[in-house]
Each structure stands twice: as structure tokens, then as C-alpha cells.
Amino acid sequence: MMATNSDGIKFNTHGECGHSPACDQSRRLAGMKTDYEHMTRSRLEGDMRKQSPLLVATAAAILASSMTMAGDVLFTEVTDEVGIDFEIDTPPKWILNNSHFYGGVGVADFDGNGAVDLFFSGVGNTNDTLYLNDGAGNFTDVSAEWGLDDMHFSCGVGAGDIDNDGWIDIVVGSAGPASIPGGSPGGYRLYKNINGTRFEDIAESAGVHEVAPGEVQHPTFATPGDFNADGHLDLMYGSWQVPADGNKFYLNDGDGTFTDVTKSMGFYNSVRPVKGFSASVVDMDGDLNPDIVWVADFGKSAYFRNNGDGTFTDLTPGNGTGVDASGMGSAILDFNKDGKLDWFVGAIYYEDGTPFAKYNGNALYMQIADHTFANIAEPFGILDSGWSWSSIAADLDNDGLEEIIVGNGSKNNAEFRDELEYVFQQNNINGTFYNVTSESGIDLACQATSSAAFDMEGDGDLDLVFVCNDGAAHIYRNDSTNQGSWLQIELGGDPANGIPNHGFNTRVEARVGSVVHTRYMDGRPSYGASGPQALHFGLGDTEVVDELTIRWINGDVDVMEDVPVNQVLVVSPIDAIIGDLNEDGLVNGTDLAVMLGQWGACVGDPELCIADLDSDGFVNGADLSLVLGNWSLLP
């Protein structure tokens, strides 16, 4: 295994926290924590005994973990300051049906400079827009130069290295050109990233352009994920419009084309008529066969277990999931740190007695055994977030506990029209959540269809972006107080051995004492959005992670000990590939260029003559043969 820190230096597993503000604060809090835990433990355990055995077990597990003192979650809007000027002018319904569903965002490092960029999907008179980040949190619109200034009815953004060439591509749902009122059949876009300089739409040649001939798609999501664990990112498309056959699963053939496997995978009867809103590919039980969680409207959310033979079995509703009546957003997290992945679904909540009482609110599906769940949203304080759209799980104050952020609003419904977006902070004593929106500084009241959490300026805390249907996008900088320590993991890949680039399908565990923090790399999809290709850990008063375990989807496991916090750590599943001169996990034209640049006799320090693969003092045909012999057989 290879690891480097944020300075590009090979990683030494031993280190000290030093005298950073986070560490100094944690030391001051350390003396308070023992007394605080002793004072509250007996009272809480007594209260929880009045609840169900399931909740007692959950509370006990949380109480057994190391508790931290939560900081204040505080944000400042900086949209204009950072250079974002994206606004959706939503067309009326007679031009595009369900136009109020539209608006998405993809968050990823598209130009490879180490900073996270923003891609917004346009609607009607607003073109798709790409903003590049200079590394300090300043954004520049490069849509025209990058070939992304087309105007179409787009919604649902996914990001990932679809062709394994080392650059992050974009997939976006589309109802066709804005010049055609009512939309047009198909029209999905698969934007191939050309060496971090521009994008080219290859959806038609790849076979994923027109998924339902003759019917307008009204797409809601377009999500990459490797659901057969072969090292190539596959595609899931979702559509709300019925009977449009827009819910599709495409298997990446590895040669630039895709095969429709919707029927053969066992989804046809379950998913075809469903009004889909978001989906994720996640190995929920750790058997190395990625499962699929599918969020849908009208009580049709579903949980599909991967059978390991190319087929899936729908386990809903018998496994405790699928009870949400109007699911839209989705987030995967292990909120109670028991090592089992949980699933949050954002949905609509009306008070009992209204005409829409069937809208029963959010669901927090806590996994209590493999593929078995209990919905604990109501007793854990996270049932109601209005008319919920996108959902995010992220540790905003780096205290070691993840918050849940929900985009909210319905411009067509007076009850939810002026309601703020929601921020739920996890209680560090009993694991329940409480609404801290009013104190958070997020004063946004719009129909926030899409959102994502990302580290805008590389300072170790997570900022937020919200996309508003029929309005402007908003950027909120994280100014939370009493911030804890953090660790960001950027994963490499080994596609030839079943690990997609950026570590899709990889599970990472950070153990501190007896507490294990778990993250899963699924691209962080939610309604209309995809998050950054990195995993962020908030770690409270931790100075060193005792053990960092990377569980790759091909079964390999790497363990690092005594990992210093407050850094970006790049981890590759590959010790060394002969000919991989730039250590990106691939042997390709980039390595060949390095070799040609060192061609001839090695001069000076032999360690700098990295292209001399046979160590004979010369870079020549023998070394070239080694490179060509290990050439990556990837598209």
C-alpha cells in the first residue's frame, strides 16, 4: 500500500498533534469529559430502559463510545465572495412538465489541481455551468472553454471516472434541448473529461443516450456505481415520469460501451414503474457484493441485495426498509458507530390530520443485523424536515458525530414555501438529533432540490452548496466554533483488479481507542447531486488515529497505525506496478512520456532516474519493453 499526505510526501505513520487550536481545545475539554459522562450516564440509561429493547441497545452502544463535547455549527454565506453566479430560471409547466424537480450539482476535482470544483445542471434558459476552484476557494466559470455551455432540460448529476483514464467524468440526466417545448425523448449526457481541459459528450456512442425511445424522460438522477465489482463504474438512471421507462441499469463493458441489464439483474418488475428520486451502490453487509438502495416516491423506496451472480433480490418491505411514503434524498452513514451502515431517507412530512397525512416524514433505517433495519427517525428526533429533497450526512464541526443536512421547500405549497433548510446535529450523549438550523447561520428558504458538503478551501472543515429550483445557488462557508481534528482520505484505484478509481465501493474505518468511525465511498449521491471523491472524518479531540483500515471491494485489506490527524491522506491499493512511473495506478501514455524524457544514460542521482526499470544505468529499449508489457488494458 502507498500513502502520501497533503504535501505529497510519503507517509510516516507516527506523529503528534502538536499545539494546533483544535488540539489545545481538546486538551481543555478532556478534563471536563469524564465528569460529564459520569453525571449523565446513569440518568440516560434509566430513561432508555423505558423505551424498546432496540433503542436501549442502541443507546448503550453509543454510551459505550468515547464522548466528545460538540462545537457550535455555524456558517456564513459567501456565494458572491467566492465567484459563484449560477441561477435557475425554471420554465413553466407547459414548457416542461415537472420542471420544479430540476436543478443539480456535481462536486469533484475535474481539472486535477487538488481542489474541489462545482458543476451545476442548467434548466431551460440556464446552461450547464462548470466552476473551477483555484485551491483557495475562488471559483471561475469555464463552461464555454470546457464545452459545457449547452442549454437543455438537465437534472441529476453524477461524477466518477467512467472510463478509468484518471479523469473524473460527468453524467447528467436530460429531457432534451431547451429549444423543444415539452422536452424530447432521451437526451442523457455522458461528459468525458479530456485530460482535465474540456468535456465531450459520448453518451450516444456509449449507448446510454436515449433510454426510452419515444418518451420524454423527466430524469431525476444519474448515478455511477460499480454494482458488479469489476473495477468499472456502471450507471443507474432514475425517472419520475410514469410510464416512461427511464429507470435503467447499465453495465460498463470496459470498452467505452454499456449494456442494459435492467431486466437480467431482476429490477424490471420492481423498478420500471417506480418514480425514482435517488440511488446508491453500497456494500451494506460487507460481503464484497455491492447492494443497491433506491429512493422513490409514493412508498416505492426499495432495498436490493446483491446475490453475487449478477442478480439482485428486493428485500423490501420485509427487512424494515421502504416504509417512507415520499422518499427523495438519500445518505449512507454509521451514525451510532456499531460498524453497520445505516440509511437516511429524506421525505415529506405533514402533521397528522392534514389531507396529506400519508406523507409520514423521513426515515432513519438503523441496521440491526445484515440487511435488517428499524426505522428510528421519530424517536431519534429526525422525522420532520418539511418537504425534503437532497440529504447529506457530514461531520460539520469535526466532533466525531455526523450531522444530517436536508434541502427543503416547495414553491407550490404554502406550508413549505418559506421554510428554511434543515441542519440536524447529533446529540453526543444519546445519539438522537436536534434541529440547529436557526443557530447555524443557514438562513436559506428556497426549494433546495440539490446540495452537497465539500471542503472548499482545503482547511479541513466541510462547506455547503445548495441549488435552488427557480433561484440562485448558494455557498455557505463553515465557520463552526470549537472545531475538532479531522482526516480526509483520497483513495486510488486498481481497476484491473476490481477496484474502480477513487476507491468506489471501498469501506474505511478509523479506530480511536474503542470507537470506530466508518465511511463508505459511494460517490455521496443524493437527490440530483453527487459529492466529492473523498472521505472526510471528523475526529473530535483525537490527536492520532490508532488504526486506519481500508477494506477494498476486491477483498484486500490495508491497515495503517498511528496516523496523524489534520491532513489529507492519499491511499492507493497498489504497492508498485512496474512501469507506473507517476504512481497513479495505471501504466499509460503519461508514464511513456516520463520514460522518453529520461531516455539514454542516467546522469546524477540514480534514484532520480525512475525510468531505469532494470537498474542498468540506462533508459532504453529494455525498460520500454517493461512498460509496454504492463500497459493498462483499460479504455
Side-chain angles (χ1 to χ4, degrees):
M1 179 183 64
M2 177 186 68
T4 57
N5 63 16
S6 52
D7 297 320
I9 301 172
K10 286 188 177 180
F11 178 65
N12 182 333
T13 59
H14 298 278
E16 297 295 334
C17 182
H19 296 284
S20 69
C23 292
D24 291 341
Q25 176 68 13
S26 70
R27 293 187 187 100
R28 287 194 295 271
L29 294 174
M32 301 169 56
K33 189 170 63 174
T34 301
D35 292 339
Y36 191 53
E37 178 178 355
H38 177 75
M39 178 179 64
T40 58
R41 179 180 297 273
S42 59
R43 176 178 58 82
L44 285 168
E45 289 179 339
D47 290 344
M48 293 307 295
R49 275 192 288 270
K50 302 174 184 178
Q51 308 297 325
S52 70
L54 172 63
L55 296 185
V56 172
T58 301
I62 296 170
L63 284 167
S65 67
S66 174
M67 295 189 298
T68 60
M69 301 289 287
D72 295 328
V73 173
L74 183 63
F75 286 83
T76 303
E77 181 168 3
V78 293
T79 311
D80 295 337
E81 179 182 328
V82 301
I84 298 296
D85 184 24
F86 178 82
E87 185 168 353
I88 294 175
D89 182 14
T90 306
K93 186 175 182 178
W94 67 268
I95 292 180
L96 180 66
N97 192 26
N98 299 321
S99 59
H100 62 289
F101 286 2
Y102 283 54
V105 61
V107 181
D109 180 10
F110 296 114
D111 61 352
N113 72 339
V116 182
D117 311 307
L118 297 172
F119 170 84
F120 295 98
S121 61
V123 185
N125 295 326
T126 304
N127 59 273
D128 287 346
T129 306
L130 175 63
Y131 289 93
L132 295 184
N133 186 343
D134 67 357
N138 303 304
F139 292 88
T140 302
D141 183 350
V142 297
S143 307
E145 304 97 290
W146 281 59
L148 292 175
D149 57 347
D150 192 16
M151 291 187 181
H152 63 123
F153 299 125
S154 64
C155 181
V157 181
D161 186 0
I162 302 295
D163 53 3
N164 286 330
D165 66 349
W167 298 97
I168 299 176
D169 310 299
I170 297 172
V171 56
V172 58
S174 177
S179 59
I180 303 178
S184 67
Y188 279 72
R189 311 291 177 91
L190 176 54
Y191 291 124
K192 173 180 169 58
N193 190 330
I194 310 298
N195 300 322
T197 60
R198 61 186 178 88
F199 283 97
E200 177 182 321
D201 183 11
I202 63 169
E204 189 168 0
S205 64
V208 294
H209 172 65
E210 189 178 45
V211 299
E215 298 182 65
V216 178
Q217 289 310 290
H218 298 292
T220 47
F221 68 85
T223 300
D226 185 8
F227 43 75
N228 64 341
D230 67 347
H232 301 278
L233 291 181
D234 311 303
L235 293 176
M236 299 184 292
Y237 285 165
S239 174
W240 191 85
Q241 187 72 14
V242 174
D245 191 10
N247 297 308
K248 289 285 189 177
F249 297 82
Y250 287 97
L251 196 67
N252 191 332
D253 298 324
D255 60 0
T257 64
F258 291 77
T259 298
D260 184 348
V261 293
T262 309
K263 292 183 180 180
S264 64
M265 287 173 60
F267 286 92
Y268 194 77
N269 292 331
S270 297
V271 173
R272 183 176 181 269
V274 170
K275 295 173 181 280
F277 269 125
S278 56
S280 184
V281 179
V282 184
D283 181 9
M284 295 296 287
D285 63 345
D287 67 351
L288 305 182
N289 295 311
D291 310 296
I292 294 176
V293 293
W294 182 281
V295 179
D297 208 351
F298 295 104
K300 295 294 185 178
S301 292
Y303 181 103
F304 297 97
R305 183 189 64 203
N306 190 330
N307 299 321
D309 59 0
T311 66
F312 289 73
T313 298
D314 185 355
L315 298 183
T316 46
N319 73 335
T321 65
V323 300
D324 50 281
S326 53
M328 289 190 280
S330 179
I332 298 296
L333 71 162
D334 177 16
F335 84 98
N336 57 349
K337 304 192 189 310
D338 65 351
K340 299 180 180 68
L341 294 176
D342 311 305
W343 179 25
F344 176 80
V345 175
I348 302 170
Y349 180 77
Y350 275 95
E351 297 288 345
D352 290 341
T354 71
F356 299 97
K358 64 180 181 179
Y359 291 146
N360 57 358
N362 303 327
L364 178 54
Y365 298 118
M366 182 178 69
Q367 188 168 189
I368 54 178
D370 287 351
H371 303 301
T372 303
F373 296 80
N375 179 16
I376 60 170
E378 184 170 12
F380 275 62
I382 201 165
L383 178 70
D384 180 8
S385 55
W387 192 290
S388 307
W389 295 92
S390 62
S391 304
I392 309 167
D395 190 347
L396 300 178
D397 55 358
N398 287 333
D399 69 343
L401 300 170
E402 290 181 273
E403 279 71 49
I404 291 179
I405 306 96
V406 184
N408 164 64
S410 174
K411 63 184 181 182
N412 297 323
N413 189 304
E415 181 174 343
F416 305 101
R417 189 174 299 139
D418 298 318
E419 195 168 356
L420 297 176
E421 318 317 320
Y422 278 76
V423 180
F424 293 99
Q425 188 171 25
Q426 191 177 165
N427 189 313
N428 58 4
I429 299 301
N430 61 13
T432 60
F433 293 83
Y434 54 103
N435 186 352
V436 297
T437 304
S438 60
E439 307 99 292
S440 71
I442 298 176
D443 55 356
L444 179 62
C446 77
Q447 184 174 308
T449 50
S450 299
S451 56
F454 67 111
D455 188 354
M456 177 170 56
E457 62 274 76
D459 61 354
D461 57 35
L462 294 175
D463 312 294
L464 296 173
V465 54
F466 292 94
V467 178
C468 297
N469 182 275
D470 205 14
H474 296 263
I475 307 295
Y476 283 87
R477 185 185 64 217
N478 193 334
D479 292 329
S480 300
T481 59
N482 299 329
Q483 284 274 6
S485 59
W486 57 276
L487 183 66
Q488 181 167 301
I489 308 296
E490 296 184 358
L491 298 167
D494 185 5
N497 289 306
I499 304 173
N501 284 341
H502 303 288
F504 270 73
N505 295 350
T506 299
R507 177 187 175 113
V508 179
E509 301 163 353
R511 183 180 64 80
V512 180
S514 62
V515 178
V516 178
H517 307 265
T518 301
R519 301 288 186 272
Y520 190 89
M521 181 54 191
D522 62 347
R524 316 299 283 180
S526 188
Y527 180 77
S530 62
Q533 318 278 286
L535 299 176
H536 178 271
F537 290 84
L539 294 167
D541 56 8
T542 300
E543 298 185 5
V544 175
V545 172
D546 296 323
E547 192 172 77
L548 186 70
T549 303
I550 299 96
R551 302 186 186 277
W552 309 99
I553 193 60
N554 68 350
D556 291 346
V557 178
D558 288 316
V559 179
M560 304 170 66
E561 296 181 350
D562 301 327
V563 180
V565 298
N566 298 335
Q567 65 162 323
V568 176
L569 188 62
V570 181
V571 183
S572 170
I574 304 164
D575 288 323
I577 297 177
I578 296 175
D580 180 17
L581 303 181
N582 65 342
E583 297 183 330
D584 67 347
L586 300 172
V587 181
N588 53 24
T590 304
D591 306 293
L592 181 59
V594 174
M595 173 163 285
L596 295 178
Q598 295 187 354
W599 198 263
C602 294
V603 179
D605 187 351
E607 291 187 1
L608 299 179
C609 194
I610 60 174
D612 179 19
L613 300 176
D614 61 357
S615 301
D616 67 350
F618 295 88
V619 179
N620 52 27
D623 304 298
L624 178 60
S625 296
L626 291 172
V627 168
L628 296 178
N630 288 284
W631 199 266
S632 297
L633 300 178
L634 301 169

